[in-house]
């Protein structure tokens, strides 16, 4: 029998209470969407859809409580309230730092998310309290205004549920209509949140996280073949530098958080990187190379350099896929009798390095426990670079030759802390403290590299070695970029933001004349470039990279969120710009977008399907 809903003047029923709660969170979400995130709204027509996007999922989330007993109902109501608000505020804080949205895998690797921990308080603002205002109003309404003992009719439940479902479907439908590659290009998280709203985005991300583990068991050898064909087609012509460093040791120096703008730049009349500026004169300096890492930061740069595959769109591939088969630089160099090592002063578990290095074929990983680390010789994340290089040089001396070794620095890491005695340059005086300190830690890193070179010369290791120095990823996140623009005298703009993602790449071969290579490229191109110099043909070496000396300018430099730069164009957050004029030219990017989707999809297929196991 249908029991009618009782309602009395001045009192509200539980369905209305839920609608009030949903409306409050909806309004808060709209504020956060427009004021907290930078969703790059390009036309007024997008606005109503963005406003509508969160409502359907909120209705459904709170609607669960209708189907339970009177005692469970309030519990579910408040659970829904906590879930929605935690997602909203969590997203806001994460976005303020990373200009990105949290993904499921990143939640499982929070230990490795450098930066957010020490600075969470700094990311909060007193205005954020307004986001919790309903926490005080709702209990008051519940206590004084709600009508006890009401039962929601089936019809009302049905209408409520139908409204939720229709609104979610409408949002998804419009999203797909406006951008047919919405789900295929789900790595564009700004685009996802703009189209689906934050709650639908999180639901999709969660579902994706639940489904991807099955990709490996479903993959077959037939899936691997087209990928192989695509990668084979990437072999470029040989240059006269092919084999210029044949048989030499390879030392890679991963320069933590080092961006290209510091090169040949002075602050208060002092060079930030005097040693590197000098080294460039006698090296190949690639002045137009971009950071292509994603949420795996340093580990993503290592992954690209060793495997020539793109990192994953969410989380770190080091953490998620250490059991896969890879065909990495240590594997290839093993065929030429190289001994491969990594040196890093942090714990061996950070970024799951100890497991991943096995999969990548390293012979030895020297981590924190192989170093004399004391309170005096450490700062921030661990052992200071000068001391790290000092002890590393002694270990390098003992290695069988030829060797391939990556030395991962650490001191120039957010929040860029340094003791007075280690400051070789004064802080900058921009309005952003993080940037001011960054200058001093980069200068310290430069000094450490200078000392390492001297040490290796003294030990007789320099002559027979090729040095590859690269910035692993940005150090100054978008939130603090204003300080850099102040130094550079540039405007804050999407195109300028993308150009700040350039990292220095310097390849030094003792005795070889220096040259500036200004072709655009990315970290993924480092692997084939090293192989080229070592005289190892890259055909069948299964990589998405190109040799930087003759890289085709028409091939886009692809970023993990689907953005790219190509031949005078910058595509960022779904908008296509002419890089020089910053004019918006959507049609010009379309042919490149296709290549970008294809490469990212193939790379993901290889990793999720563990396809390289079929090609052994
Ligand atoms: C930690 C170091 C820094 O071991 O690699 O990590 P990051 O936060 O730059 O990825
Ligand atoms: Mn790093």
């Amino acid at each position: 029998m249908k029991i009618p809903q009782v309602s009395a003047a001045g009192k509200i029923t539980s369905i209305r209470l839920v609608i009030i709660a949903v409306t409050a969170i909806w309004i808060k979400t709209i504020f956060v969407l427009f004021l907290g995130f930078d969703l790059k709204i390009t036309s007024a027509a997008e606005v109503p859809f963005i406003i509508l996007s969160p409502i359907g999922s909120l209705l459904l989330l709170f609607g669960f409580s209708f189907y339970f007993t009177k005692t469970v109902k309030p519990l579910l109501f408040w659970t829904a309230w906590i879930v929605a608000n935690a997602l909203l505020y969590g997203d806001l804080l994460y976005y303020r730092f990373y200009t990105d949205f949290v993904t499921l895998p990143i939640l499982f690797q929070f230990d490795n998310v450098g930066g957010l921990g020490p600075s969470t308080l700094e990311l909060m603002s007193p205005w954020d309290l307004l986001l919790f205002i309903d926490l005080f109003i709702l209990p008051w309404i519940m206590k004084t205004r709600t009508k006890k003992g009401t039962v929601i009719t089936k019809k009302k439940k049905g209408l409520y549920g139908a409204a939720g479902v229709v609104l979610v479907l409408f949002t998804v439908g419009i999203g797909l209509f406006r951008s047919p590659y919405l789900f295929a290009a789900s790595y564009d998280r700004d685009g996802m949140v703009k189209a689906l709203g934050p709650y639908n985005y999180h639901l999709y991300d969660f579902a994706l996280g639940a489904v991807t583990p099955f990709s490996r068991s479903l993959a077959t050898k037939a899936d691997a073949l087209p990928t192989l064909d695509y990668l084979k087609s990437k072999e470029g012509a040989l240059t006269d530098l092919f084999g210029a460093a044949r048989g030499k040791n390879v030392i890679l120096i991963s320069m933590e958080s080092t961006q290209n703008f510091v090169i040949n730049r002075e602050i208060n009349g002092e060079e930030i990187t005097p040693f590197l500026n000098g080294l460039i004169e006698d090296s190949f300096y690639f002045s137009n190379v971009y950071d292509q890492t994603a949420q795996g930061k340093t580990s993503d740069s290592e992954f690209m350099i060793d495997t020539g595959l793109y990192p994953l769109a969410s989380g770190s591939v080091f953490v998620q896929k250490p059991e896969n088969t890879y065909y990495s630089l240590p594997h290839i160099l093993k065929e030429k009798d190289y001994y491969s090592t990594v040196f890093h002063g942090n714990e061996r578990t950070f970024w799951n390095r100890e497991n991943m290095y096995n999969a990548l074929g390293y012979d030895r990983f020297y981590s924190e426990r192989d170093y004399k680390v004391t309170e005096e010789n450490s700062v921030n994340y661990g052992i200071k670079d000068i001391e790290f290089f000092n002890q590393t040089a002694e270990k390098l001396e003992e290695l069988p030759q030829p060797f391939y070794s990556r030395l991962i620095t650490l001191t120039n890491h957010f929040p860029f802390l340094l003791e007075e005695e280690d400051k070789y340059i004064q802080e900058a005086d921009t309005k952003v403290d993080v940037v001011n300190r960054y200058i001093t830690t980069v200068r310290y890193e430069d000094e450490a590299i200078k000392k390492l070179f001297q040490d290796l010369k003294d030990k007789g290791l320099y002559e027979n070695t090729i040095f590859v120095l690269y910035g692993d990823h940005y150090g100054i996140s978008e939130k603090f970029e204003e300080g850099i623009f102040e130094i550079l005298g540039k405007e804050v703009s999407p195109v300028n933001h993308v150009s700040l993602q350039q990292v220095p790449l310097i390849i030094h071969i003792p005795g070889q004349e220096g040259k500036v290579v200004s072709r655009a490229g990315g970290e993924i191109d480092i692997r084939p470039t090293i192989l080229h110099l070592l005289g190892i043909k890259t055909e069948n070496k299964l990589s998405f990279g190109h040799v930087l000396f003759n890289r085709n300018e028409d091939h886009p430099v692809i970023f993990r969120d689907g953005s790219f730069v190509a031949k005078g164009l910058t595509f960022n957050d779904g908008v296509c710009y002419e890089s020089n004029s910053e004019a918006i030219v959507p049609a010009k990017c379309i042919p490149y977008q296709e290549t970008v989707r294809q490469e990212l999809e193939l790379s993901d297929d290889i990793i999720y399907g563990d396809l390289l196991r079929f090609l052994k």
Side-chain angles (χ1 to χ4, degrees):
M1 194 186 77
K2 214 158 71 175
I3 306 165
Q5 185 175 347
V6 187
S7 130
K11 299 274 175 180
I12 55 171
T13 54
S14 59
I15 198 160
R16 285 188 190 160
L17 177 75
V18 163
I19 289 172
I20 290 173
V22 166
T23 310
I25 300 180
W26 182 28
I27 293 170
K28 296 193 299 186
T29 309
I30 293 169
F31 270 97
V32 171
L33 278 169
F34 286 99
L35 301 177
F37 306 145
D38 179 15
L39 295 181
K40 305 276 173 343
I41 297 160
T42 46
S43 83
E46 289 179 327
V47 173
F49 299 117
I50 296 175
I51 290 177
L52 265 185
S53 65
I55 181 72
S57 38
L58 282 175
L59 283 172
L60 294 182
L61 178 68
F62 278 81
F64 276 120
S65 65
F66 298 155
Y67 295 91
F68 291 86
T69 59
K70 250 190 346 207
T71 30
V72 184
K73 253 185 204 170
L75 194 74
L76 286 176
F77 174 87
W78 284 111
T79 307
W81 191 90
I82 290 168
V83 168
N85 281 284
L87 285 174
L88 187 63
Y89 195 50
D91 275 344
L92 182 63
L93 289 183
Y94 190 83
Y95 197 92
R96 278 183 186 156
F97 192 81
Y98 288 104
T99 336
D100 192 2
F101 292 94
V102 182
T103 62
L104 189 65
I106 208 87
L107 291 178
F108 291 110
Q109 60 186 51
F110 243 101
D111 282 356
N112 292 336
V113 179
L116 196 54
S119 58
T120 310
L121 268 180
E122 211 182 298
L123 297 172
M124 294 175 169
S125 142
W127 290 102
D128 296 349
L129 281 176
L130 288 176
L131 281 179
F132 298 97
I133 204 155
D134 50 338
L135 182 59
F136 303 98
I137 297 168
L138 287 172
W140 174 78
I141 295 180
M142 278 169 126
K143 214 167 156 214
T144 62
R145 315 280 299 162
T146 49
K147 175 88 188 132
K148 295 260 155 33
T150 55
V151 177
I152 307 163
T153 61
K154 263 195 187 153
K155 192 174 159 204
K156 285 210 164 145
K157 270 190 218 169
L159 270 177
Y160 178 99
V165 171
V166 166
L167 282 163
V168 168
L169 290 179
F170 177 77
T171 299
V172 174
I174 291 289
L176 277 171
F177 177 74
R178 296 177 68 89
S179 145
Y181 294 102
L182 185 66
F183 292 110
S186 63
Y187 41 76
D188 174 7
R189 288 184 280 275
D190 274 10
M192 288 286 277
V193 171
K194 190 158 93 169
L196 300 178
Y199 309 110
N200 290 324
Y201 155 72
H202 283 297
L203 190 67
Y204 176 79
D205 175 59
F206 188 81
L208 198 67
V211 169
T212 38
F214 298 105
S215 308
R216 187 181 190 279
S217 29
L218 294 174
T220 63
K221 191 164 185 171
D223 296 326
L225 297 176
T227 315
L228 184 61
D229 287 345
Y230 181 84
L231 295 180
K232 267 188 186 165
S233 72
K234 298 183 78 69
E235 176 69 359
L238 296 187
T239 73
D240 52 6
L241 288 165
F242 182 76
R246 196 186 302 273
K248 285 186 186 279
N249 301 317
V250 182
I251 292 184
L252 269 85
I253 301 178
S254 163
M255 300 187 290
E256 178 57 48
S257 301
T258 306
Q259 293 177 224
N260 199 38
F261 80 90
V262 298
I263 300 294
N264 286 325
R265 177 136 346 252
E266 291 186 355
I267 295 287
N268 301 322
E270 289 181 280
E271 289 176 282
I272 309 175
T273 57
F275 177 72
L276 294 182
N277 298 348
L279 185 73
I280 280 169
E281 301 289 316
D282 304 316
S283 307
F284 296 110
Y285 167 48
F286 302 86
S287 60
N288 207 357
V289 165
Y290 290 82
D291 163 18
Q292 292 171 300
T293 62
Q295 291 176 325
K297 306 287 294 294
T298 313
S299 67
D300 281 352
S301 68
E302 298 183 61
F303 182 74
M304 271 184 281
I305 290 167
D306 279 347
T307 67
L309 303 175
Y310 290 100
L312 292 178
S314 53
S316 157
V317 58
F318 265 42
V319 175
Q320 294 182 68
K321 295 289 169 194
E323 260 97 49
N324 274 10
T325 298
Y326 294 106
Y327 190 39
S328 73
L329 270 186
H331 291 130
I332 297 168
L333 294 177
K334 181 65 82 193
E335 293 161 18
K336 306 276 174 199
D337 290 328
Y338 273 74
Y339 185 81
S340 296
T341 60
V342 176
F343 296 90
H344 185 42
N346 204 348
E347 286 166 14
R348 54 204 302 107
T349 50
F350 202 98
W351 286 130
N352 197 27
R353 283 188 171 101
E354 61 176 338
N355 293 325
M356 190 59 165
Y357 288 160
N358 279 332
L360 295 176
Y362 281 95
D363 295 298
R364 176 85 158 82
F365 171 28
Y366 294 85
S367 67
E368 187 187 22
R369 68 182 184 198
D370 299 290
Y371 287 84
K372 288 178 212 83
V373 184
T374 62
E375 206 156 298
E376 290 74 53
N377 72 14
S378 302
V379 71
N380 199 3
Y381 269 66
I383 184 166
K384 296 182 201 173
D385 291 345
I386 290 180
E387 189 55 33
F388 164 67
F389 281 148
N390 212 351
Q391 296 183 33
T392 303
E394 287 168 17
K395 300 180 203 301
L396 282 169
E397 232 181 342
E398 304 298 319
L399 293 187
Q401 296 193 27
F403 56 73
Y404 166 75
S405 294
R406 178 163 57 247
L407 282 53
I408 306 173
T409 64
L410 199 51
T411 307
N412 183 40
H413 194 290
F414 186 88
F416 312 114
L417 308 175
L418 210 55
E419 278 140 31
E420 278 311 310
E421 71 211 42
D422 295 319
K423 289 187 182 162
Y424 295 89
I425 191 172
Q426 274 186 352
E427 286 188 8
D429 49 13
T430 73
K431 50 179 170 299
V432 185
D433 278 346
V434 170
V435 172
N436 299 344
R437 294 199 298 271
Y438 178 73
I439 300 306
T440 64
T441 46
V442 175
R443 176 65 185 82
Y444 171 86
E445 179 186 81
D446 182 81
E447 193 69 19
I449 297 171
K450 175 175 132 188
K451 287 187 160 52
L452 173 73
F453 269 71
Q454 190 52 52
D455 213 358
L456 295 178
K457 280 182 183 168
D458 296 346
K459 288 183 161 40
L461 275 173
Y462 167 78
E463 286 297 334
N464 198 31
T465 299
I466 148 177
F467 296 86
V468 181
L469 296 88
Y470 64 94
D472 63 349
H473 49 76
Y474 70 84
I476 305 298
S477 67
E478 208 169 345
K479 173 179 158 65
F480 301 113
E481 261 173 13
E482 233 186 311
I484 307 183
F485 290 129
E486 202 180 318
I487 291 172
L488 304 183
K490 280 190 177 179
E491 295 290 306
V492 179
S493 81
V495 170
N496 287 339
H497 161 72
V498 173
S499 69
L500 270 195
Q501 308 315 305
Q502 289 178 344
V503 287
L505 171 64
I506 302 164
I507 300 187
H508 179 73
I509 309 173
Q512 180 85 37
E513 216 179 298
K515 189 178 166 204
V516 176
V517 182
S518 56
R519 282 169 188 268
E523 288 170 310
I524 206 150
D525 302 315
I526 295 177
R527 179 189 196 256
T529 307
I530 294 176
L531 287 171
H532 193 80
L533 289 168
L534 293 180
I536 300 171
K537 288 198 175 175
T538 49
E539 64 202 53
N540 295 334
K541 296 290 181 280
L542 305 173
S543 150
F544 285 94
H546 300 82
V547 175
L548 282 164
F549 295 111
N550 59 1
R551 190 184 187 283
N552 181 356
E553 299 270 31
D554 212 23
H555 189 80
V557 180
I558 300 173
F559 306 120
R560 196 47 260 212
D561 63 354
S563 304
F564 61 85
V565 290
K567 248 193 172 171
L569 296 172
T570 300
F571 184 78
N572 184 238
D573 282 339
V575 186
C576 181
Y577 304 90
E578 215 141 49
S579 306
N580 284 334
S581 66
E582 305 208 1
I584 297 181
V585 285
K588 290 197 175 172
C589 284
I590 292 171
Y592 297 106
Q593 280 172 267
E594 186 52 41
T595 312
V596 170
R597 273 194 295 270
Q598 184 183 21
E599 290 218 345
L600 292 176
E601 193 179 316
L602 281 176
S603 183
D604 285 349
D605 286 350
I606 293 177
I607 298 170
Y608 285 123
D610 189 11
L611 297 186
L612 297 182
R613 73 197 141 124
F614 297 120
L615 305 176
K616 264 198 149 175

